[in-house]
Amino acid sequence: MANITINGDTKAIDAPGDTSLLWAVRDLAGLTGTKYGCGVGLCGACTVHVDGRPERSCLLSLDDVAGKQVTTIEGLSEDGSHPVQVAWRDQNVPQCGFCQAGQIMQAAGFLEENPKPTDGEIKEAMEGNICRCGCYQRITAAVRQASTGS
Amino acid sequence: MYHLAEKFARSAAVEDGGLAIHNVSRRGFLKTSSAAFALAAFSGTAAQAFTPYKTGGDDMPNGLKYDPNIFVSIGSDGTVTIVAHRSEMGQGSRTSLPMVLADEMGADWAKVKIVQAEGDEPKYGNQNTDGSRSMRHHIQSMRQMGASVRHMLQQAAAKKWGVDASAVNVGVHEVTSGSNKVGFGELAEDAMALPVPRFEELAFKDEKDFRYIGAGKISITDLHDITTGKAVYGADIMLPGMKVAVIARPPAVGENPGKVDDKAALAVAGVESVHTLAGSVMPAGFAPVGGVAVVAAHTAAAIKGRDALTIEWTKGPHSDYDSEAFTNEMRATAAQPGKVVRKEGDWEAARAGAAKTFEREYSQAHMVHATMEPLVAVADVKADGAEIWAPVQSPYQARQDVAKALGLDEKDVRVNVTLLGGGFGRKSKGDFVTEAALLSKEVGAPVKVQWTREDDIRHAFNHTTSVERIEAALDDKGKVTGMRYNSVAPSILSTFAPDSGYQFPIEAGMGHVDLPFEVPNLSIENGKAMAHTRIGWFRAVSNIPRAWAVQSFAAELADELGKDQKDMLLELIGSDRKLDPAKQGFPDKFWDYGEVYDEYPIDTMRLKNVINLAAEKAGWGKSMPKGEGLGIAAHRSFVTYVASVVHVKVDDDGTIRVPEVHMAVDCGFAANPERIRSQMEGAAVMGMTAALHSGITYKAGAVEQANFDTYEMVRASNFPEIVHTHIVEHPFSVHAAGVGEPGVPPIPPAIANALFNATGQRMRDMPIGDTV
Ligand code: FES
Ligand code: FES
């Protein structure tokens, strides 16, 4: 049994402390917005925030986040009003959408640290998030919009 | 944890308390014979804003349905509910088709709700979402149903107000006549009593009055849910009491678990049981490959348990498959004469009389789809029936497969379609769905089968591997007098029937026998190649290796003759004409994407037009800095024409970059330009991934790649940065075609041609790698 704090709620999770955070969040906490894409840190689909920083939940265990704040896409904003979410909709980014929660969490965490990035910094920050549908042109445009407002 | 809620509201339209229309005329506006077609097309008395035409949709299994009773309902509050019966995997049809219907009926998009159909083709018509067919086959039925509902609303209002129907105007979500005005909701019940009009009674909107169709202003219906994590994919289905299974599958098809040690697996906390699944031998269709399943309380435990299994696999007929050796075999075959599948003129004579011959050989490795959402399905099997939730492209096929595997009647199986986290052809093949059904039956509880990324890459239905060899005969003026094109590749047919080693008409029709070159002597040949792994279709299918070969060859020939690559391509295509399959030696069974050829002929004028358009927009011919180049390629596939001009830039360290792409696309009438652009952008990325990275190789029967470190993807650090999409504008009368696949084939050869122009290095084997 492990206690973790997700989106401000402390939840008791019925699994050993070495259980993958990704699957605990999805299967045991029932928050399915965070996605599985590779399980080994290569795709970014599982990105969540741990104490505000973007992390791959597939590479973390429940023990790793003990006493920390985990934020998933469901907790990024009340109603989808985070500037990154708004930019994503303005730019009509998604195709299938499966990678997008991870992309948004990555972008939101990155912009928190670097609010006015260069194009090069955006590309570098988003490199770990694969989009098989190939929405990169719009993803970078949306990150730019969220950072500059246009 | 019960996420199903209203996303899977049962029997969408009819049980929604909306319009239930009696006396439904089930005839569509077209019958399959051309006589009936002519009648339907020209006997209408109402002014027709479009003339219906025949598509292959009528000939698909279970055809097309034109019954608004099935697809539309109007609630008393005016909410219009439209059924999306095609699967959504990123191409946008879940939005675009209802948008067509909504526009034609006069609905306000803000008041439209979309519900997803379950797999039921007798009810909804064909649902097999594949072949870039959704818009091509369904745009007319969507318009007809929209016009039908508008007509019924008009009739109902006329009756209500005691006026002639011609005095009633159906506006945006409201109906007026003089000072009378009501919303759609108030009329729904009255409209209920009316029969569905016959096609001849319908008046269609004038194209200039479209509000959504062709405008590209509507965002996809799931946009908000996707950006907030609420969208429901197959992976997101959670049922009370559900178990999760992860399966160890045999390295090669036809192998079986021999000795299995599951002690360590069963010792993992959360693991509940281990099950052996029967294997299959090719041709196995979509049957699972078998293996050993670990069933657990949650996914983490199931993966851990699966990894703790020790299995000795028996050997099977494909345990020796070595793709490198196989490519060499295919090269040897390609150099020999193959089975002639199209003959025009006399190639042998042309070669004998040639002043010069020129031959080149191109190859492509296997690829796998690697949808972002790995395969996953949930099944709840009870004694009297089964319910499935899965991201499937062909839900009715999945339903039939599950019924067969469980020995159930099809009517006792329900397949709910979730959003698909990518499809690309992989999710047409329901092996993963059948696995879930078999395990749920065995365990006696709902089961989710979750594939890991490694499973997805190693147990695909592979894109075929191929060697394409082209030879040209030239006269003393450098004019091409003949060509021989031998294509050697294992066939998809090997998945369904004993393997003959030869291609079937569908593969031949994808850029091989339909070669659009005006060359008097052609020998189009197919050399034998047996399949040693499951072969399936991958977005754009055989068009990828064909465009790779033909479009690279055209550029190489230009270089050989000192001509401009674009001019050479246009010269080979020749005059403006529609190819004549009967006169030009096409096979009798020529397959034009399942269409009646005369409705969608191969039109060289349209092909040349997209080439010229892309070239003009890209500034073809401008001088490029050192280490940079433009490359051009064009290909017709799925009856859509696409030309690409790719700008390649090679960094000092040899990294291949694509700063800019111009895509010119002619898909006939463009129903949703916004999604056409997104498909072209995505195709540029997938084409670049295919060209640079996508190589699945086999050693001793097993796939050598496993995850995104060895099967790489184009990423945000190096992708086609600006893709400009130029859509050729057409009226509705130029038949709409799909865009899900046609953007991919021209990209790899355009990259190779650009790379050659940038560096002088010619790449002929895909994948080419990411550096030079
Ligand atoms: S699932 Fe965590 S990085 Fe891919
Ligand atoms: S939108 Fe499909 S993987 Fe990114």
Side-chain angles (χ1 to χ4, degrees):
Chain A
M1 193 64 97
N3 284 328
I4 57 169
T5 307
I6 309 180
N7 303 332
D9 295 337
T10 302
K11 298 197 183 214
I13 303 282
D14 185 12
D18 66 351
T19 303
S20 147
L21 176 63
L22 166 64
W23 293 113
V25 164
R26 287 183 52 81
D27 289 10
L28 303 171
L31 294 167
T32 55
T34 305
K35 303 302 188 208
Y36 164 76
C38 73
V40 289
L42 292 167
C43 79
C46 65
T47 304
V48 298
H49 293 177
V50 178
D51 286 346
R53 298 176 65 97
E55 298 281 357
R56 308 298 185 229
S57 63
C58 70
L59 297 179
L60 297 173
S61 66
L62 290 175
D63 284 343
D64 291 334
V65 296
K68 300 186 175 167
Q69 299 285 335
V70 176
T71 309
T72 67
I73 183 76
E74 291 92 341
L76 184 64
S77 67
E78 277 285 282
D79 48 1
S81 61
H82 187 284
V84 170
Q85 291 169 308
V86 173
W88 240 251
R89 292 194 292 272
D90 286 352
Q91 300 290 337
N92 284 310
V93 172
Q95 289 182 37
C96 81
F98 195 78
C99 72
Q100 302 296 349
Q103 305 273 5
I104 289 168
M105 294 306 282
Q106 177 67 22
F110 161 65
L111 290 174
E112 200 63 46
E113 284 169 29
N114 184 354
K116 295 275 176 263
T118 63
D119 284 359
E121 287 168 339
I122 293 174
K123 286 191 205 165
E124 201 179 307
M126 301 307 294
E127 178 177 20
N129 289 71
I130 293 173
C131 176
R132 180 57 158 155
C133 295
C135 304
Y136 299 119
Q137 179 172 343
R138 299 185 190 207
I139 287 169
T140 47
V143 178
R144 215 173 292 132
Q145 177 188 327
S147 72
T148 63
S150 65
Chain B
M1 303 242 293
Y2 199 79
H3 288 290
L4 309 177
E6 55 175 19
K7 308 254 179 194
F8 301 102
R10 283 186 181 259
S11 274
V14 181
E15 291 168 23
D16 223 35
L19 215 55
I21 305 151
H22 304 293
N23 229 349
V24 167
S25 151
R26 287 190 180 269
R27 70 179 286 269
F29 43 63
L30 296 176
K31 294 288 180 212
T32 41
S33 82
S34 53
F37 166 50
L39 196 70
F42 303 116
S43 69
T45 49
Q48 300 298 337
F50 83 83
T51 305
Y53 52 88
K54 165 115 179 100
T55 71
D58 299 291
D59 304 326
M60 293 294 293
N62 297 301
L64 299 169
K65 299 286 184 235
Y66 302 86
D67 183 352
N69 198 20
I70 291 169
F71 281 85
V72 195
S73 69
I74 305 175
S76 54
D77 65 348
T79 300
V80 170
T81 302
I82 302 177
V83 174
H85 69 304
R86 314 282 292 171
S87 298
E88 177 59 55
M89 49 193 156
Q91 83 283 35
S93 59
R94 182 170 141 90
T95 301
S96 303
L97 289 176
M99 176 196 82
V100 170
L101 196 161
D103 194 339
E104 186 68 60
M105 80 176 264
D108 174 356
W109 189 249
K111 297 185 181 124
V112 171
K113 197 175 118 197
I114 295 173
V115 295
Q116 189 68 36
E118 75 285 7
D120 190 350
E121 291 191 358
K123 180 174 175 185
Y124 301 107
N126 188 271
Q127 295 178 274
N128 183 358
T129 314
D130 221 315
S132 300
R133 288 189 296 248
S134 291
M135 194 50 77
R136 184 166 103 228
H137 285 176
H138 300 269
I139 190 169
Q140 296 188 91
S141 57
M142 291 295 142
R143 283 195 72 186
Q144 177 170 345
M145 289 190 282
S148 297
V149 177
R150 180 160 40 78
H151 181 95
M152 287 185 285
L153 289 163
Q154 188 184 35
Q155 296 291 324
K159 214 158 154 195
K160 184 183 172 99
W161 297 322
V163 298
D164 192 84
S166 61
V168 174
N169 178 49
V170 180
V172 180
H173 231 92
E174 63 176 26
V175 183
T176 56
S177 181
S179 59
N180 294 315
K181 178 166 141 181
V182 287
F184 281 6
E186 291 158 76
L187 283 173
E189 209 177 316
D190 292 344
M192 265 169 66
L194 298 172
V196 173
R198 286 173 298 117
F199 177 76
E200 292 77 7
E201 295 175 82
L202 297 175
F204 287 89
K205 266 192 175 177
D206 204 302
E207 287 170 47
K208 69 173 176 9
D209 297 327
F210 287 154
R211 287 168 301 127
Y212 309 127
I213 301 171
K217 296 266 160 52
I218 284 180
S219 296
I220 55 170
T221 185
D222 299 296
L223 186 58
H224 199 277
D225 283 352
I226 288 171
T227 58
T228 52
K230 293 194 186 78
V232 177
Y233 298 85
D236 303 331
I237 300 295
M238 305 281 178
L239 300 180
M242 185 185 84
K243 315 285 180 202
V244 180
V246 173
I247 302 173
R249 296 178 187 78
V253 186
E255 297 177 343
N256 278 294
K259 227 165 85 200
V260 178
D261 181 351
D262 59 10
K263 270 196 276 325
L266 286 165
V268 171
V271 168
E272 298 179 359
S273 57
V274 173
H275 308 263
T276 302
L277 298 171
S280 51
V281 286
M282 291 175 18
F286 301 144
V289 292
V292 182
V294 174
V295 175
H298 54 82
T299 316
I303 292 174
K304 227 175 174 177
R306 195 272 302 267
D307 292 348
L309 289 170
T310 309
I311 304 166
E312 274 174 32
W313 300 99
T314 63
K315 291 290 168 211
H318 307 297
S319 301
D320 296 330
Y321 184 34
D322 180 316
S323 52
E324 197 186 326
F326 186 72
T327 302
N328 290 333
E329 275 174 45
M330 289 195 296
R331 288 190 193 284
T333 305
Q336 301 298 317
K339 186 167 97 180
V340 177
V341 288
R342 175 182 164 197
K343 184 177 187 316
E344 191 177 352
D346 187 342
W347 152 253
E348 291 300 341
R351 181 169 59 181
K356 176 178 179 165
T357 59
F358 182 78
E359 58 282 319
R360 289 289 182 268
E361 192 176 276
Y362 306 88
S363 74
Q364 187 186 9
H366 288 297
M367 303 194 287
V368 297
H369 314 73
T371 56
M372 205 68 226
E373 174 192 40
L375 301 173
V376 61
V378 175
D380 186 6
V381 178
K382 306 219 169 75
D384 57 348
E387 186 155 8
I388 306 288
W389 293 262
V392 279
Q393 289 177 239
S394 188
Y396 189 57
Q397 172 81 51
R399 179 172 157 188
Q400 291 174 314
D401 289 349
V402 166
K404 195 168 154 223
L406 297 177
L408 287 172
D409 195 298
E410 189 184 299
K411 73 175 185 347
D412 297 321
V413 177
R414 182 183 166 90
V415 174
N416 303 292
V417 184
T418 65
L419 288 176
L420 284 64
F424 315 125
R426 178 61 180 94
K427 290 173 182 167
S428 308
K429 297 125 182 148
D431 52 345
F432 58 105
V433 183
T434 303
E435 287 174 342
L438 292 171
L439 283 167
S440 173
K441 183 179 180 181
E442 187 151 331
V443 171
V447 169
K448 174 190 283 179
V449 164
Q450 175 69 57
W451 288 45
T452 63
R453 176 59 61 197
E454 291 81 3
D455 299 338
D456 171 69
I457 286 177
R458 288 179 171 157
H459 305 287
F461 287 82
N462 294 248
H463 173 77
T464 196
T465 176
S466 81
V467 170
E468 314 276 323
R469 185 185 169 91
I470 307 180
E471 302 174 20
L474 302 152
D475 68 14
D476 51 7
K477 294 186 195 65
K479 196 172 160 23
V480 179
T481 55
M483 280 176 97
R484 167 182 182 261
Y485 176 9
N486 196 6
S487 174
V488 181
S491 170
I492 288 168
L493 206 54
S494 63
T495 295
F496 303 101
D499 192 5
S500 72
Y502 290 103
Q503 307 248 306
F504 73 136
I506 288 179
E507 289 156 324
M510 293 192 188
H512 192 216
V513 299
D514 51 332
L515 183 77
F517 288 173
E518 198 167 36
V519 170
N521 303 292
L522 285 174
S523 183
I524 309 289
E525 302 172 17
N526 172 212
K528 187 172 178 175
M530 304 299 284
H532 298 290
T533 182
R534 299 194 295 182
I535 307 291
W537 49 98
F538 173 111
R539 187 183 189 181
V541 206
S542 304
N543 288 295
I544 296 172
R546 270 63 180 274
W548 172 242
V550 172
Q551 299 297 306
S552 297
F553 186 82
E556 290 210 63
L557 198 54
D559 301 338
E560 176 75 12
L561 299 173
K563 293 184 181 177
D564 175 81
Q565 292 169 354
K566 178 190 74 128
D567 293 345
M568 182 83 239
L569 183 55
L570 291 172
E571 182 188 321
L572 285 166
I573 295 167
S575 61
D576 288 351
R577 67 199 186 286
K578 296 184 173 88
L579 266 61
D580 186 335
K583 287 212 183 97
Q584 294 186 255
F586 281 45
D588 291 344
K589 281 194 199 143
F590 170 58
W591 180 83
D592 188 30
Y593 297 93
E595 303 301 332
V596 173
Y597 183 78
D598 290 345
E599 294 291 339
Y600 297 88
I602 301 166
D603 186 338
T604 59
M605 193 181 73
R606 290 173 74 180
L607 184 59
K608 285 157 63 185
N609 182 50
V610 290
I611 293 170
N612 285 320
L613 179 59
E616 180 202 316
K617 296 288 181 183
W620 181 262
K622 69 185 174 190
S623 78
M624 301 293 286
K626 190 169 173 294
E628 300 185 34
L630 297 181
I632 193 164
H635 191 74
R636 171 190 183 267
S637 65
F638 306 91
V639 307
T640 285
Y641 303 77
V642 181
S644 309
V645 174
V646 170
H647 174 183
V648 161
K649 176 176 186 293
V650 178
D651 286 353
D652 291 341
D653 66 357
T655 303
I656 300 168
R657 293 189 175 277
V658 176
E660 199 170 21
V661 177
H662 286 268
M663 303 282 267
V665 52
D666 179 350
C667 57
F669 178 73
N672 191 355
E674 195 280 324
R675 283 295 98 177
I676 294 172
R677 275 191 281 277
S678 77
Q679 283 304 294
M680 291 302 125
E681 292 160 19
V685 172
M686 194 171 275
M688 182 173 169
T689 293
L692 270 55
H693 300 299
S694 302
I696 290 292
T697 54
Y698 285 79
K699 267 261 159 350
V703 172
E704 295 186 288
Q705 293 70 27
N707 208 315
F708 292 128
D709 48 352
T710 42
Y711 191 68
E712 291 178 53
M713 298 285 129
V714 158
R715 291 171 177 271
S717 49
N718 184 9
F719 68 99
E721 282 183 41
I722 306 167
V723 179
H724 307 273
T725 301
H726 313 288
I727 302 171
V728 177
E729 279 188 41
H730 287 297
F732 191 83
S733 57
V734 181
H735 311 349
V739 293
E741 295 164 274
V744 176
I747 295 293
I751 289 176
N753 291 340
L755 188 65
F756 177 82
N757 294 336
T759 65
Q761 285 194 58
R762 175 52 66 177
M763 300 294 179
R764 301 191 183 93
D765 303 307
M766 270 175 76
I768 64 177
D770 54 5
T771 51
V772 282

